[in-house]
Amino acid sequence: RDVIKPMLFLNFINTVILICWTAISPLRWERSVTGFDKWERAIESEGSCQSEHFWEFAAPLLVIDLVALCYALQQAYAARKIATEFSESE
């Protein structure tokens, strides 16, 4: 119960950001020819996914998830010396 609410909240926020990203500025595959043979035919190319507003969506995702990670690490560090008599495992 203590874990499910923050986890659902994080999943909801991540989902909202990713849906907005897909709707507003979806990733598009862009390919460019990098090599030609002696008859000027393409023999080599490279491609990657591009988004016009990559950092506008990636930065909030990174910040939110890194803050959540730091909070989880802080909680784990604070709980490292809890006596085993309070442990929920057997």
Side-chain angles (χ1 to χ4, degrees):
R1 218 181 277 178
D2 295 332
V3 176
I4 194 72
K5 288 180 185 177
M7 189 57 141
L8 288 175
F9 177 74
L10 281 172
N11 281 338
F12 176 75
I13 295 298
N14 279 316
T15 302
V16 167
I17 292 172
L18 290 170
I19 287 171
C20 289
W21 188 356
T22 301
I24 295 169
S25 180
L27 292 172
R28 304 236 187 261
W29 180 259
E30 295 181 9
R31 179 174 295 281
S32 60
V33 177
T34 58
F36 297 92
D37 64 7
K38 63 182 178 176
W39 295 284
E40 296 298 318
R41 294 181 297 191
I43 59 169
E44 185 177 312
S45 66
E46 60 183 32
S48 64
C49 287
Q50 304 291 326
S51 175
E52 291 180 25
H53 305 287
F54 176 80
W55 285 110
E56 287 86 345
F57 294 100
L61 282 173
L62 287 171
V63 169
I64 290 167
D65 291 342
L66 286 175
V67 167
L69 176 64
C70 290
Y71 181 68
L73 290 172
Q74 182 272 331
Q75 290 291 303
Y77 183 78
R80 74 190 187 286
K81 293 185 179 177
I82 291 178
T84 55
E85 61 199 46
F86 298 115
S87 175
E88 293 181 7
S89 62
E90 294 184 41

